[in-house]
Amino acid sequence: YEGLMFLEATLTCDIEGAPYRVYVNDELITQRFYANHKPNTVSNNLMVKLEDTDSYSVRIENLSENIVTLKDYTLKEKLDEDS
């Protein structure tokens, strides 16, 4: 995976099915619906493989009045063994 980074983002929302988009460095990475399929789920995690660059900016674009929030994100040079 040389030259690649892995971004893991934790997203939260109070409403199931809220549509949103994730951008990294102003490039659309994914367009999805927020899912809370299990009763005790408090967040959705997104894992993406990216080209290595000097810096990363991650933002969420909400597509409805239901707000999906970027709680946290981490960058890794390689995946954990259990990922």
Side-chain angles (χ1 to χ4, degrees):
Y1 297 117
E2 193 160 319
L4 297 175
M5 292 294 286
F6 295 91
L7 177 137
E8 184 173 6
T10 303
L11 308 166
T12 61
C13 184
D14 293 335
I15 305 296
E16 170 130 13
Y20 65 96
R21 295 179 180 142
V22 176
Y23 292 85
V24 177
N25 294 347
D26 293 324
E27 180 180 340
L28 177 63
I29 298 299
T30 187
Q31 180 168 305
R32 343 170 58 174
F33 290 95
Y34 190 85
N36 261 348
H37 295 298
K38 297 179 182 167
N40 295 320
T41 301
V42 294
S43 69
N44 285 181
N45 290 354
L46 171 68
M47 177 74 76
V48 292
K49 183 169 43 174
L50 304 167
E51 294 291 325
D52 193 11
T53 188
D54 291 336
S55 64
Y56 296 89
S57 109
V58 181
R59 72 178 172 87
I60 303 297
E61 177 186 8
N62 289 287
L63 302 176
S64 74
E65 67 279 356
N66 301 314
I67 304 298
V68 176
T69 304
L70 175 65
K71 184 95 170 163
D72 190 21
Y73 73 90
T74 58
L75 293 162
K76 302 176 182 183
E77 290 184 9
K78 57 184 173 178
L79 294 175
D80 296 332
E81 292 293 323
D82 58 350
S83 293

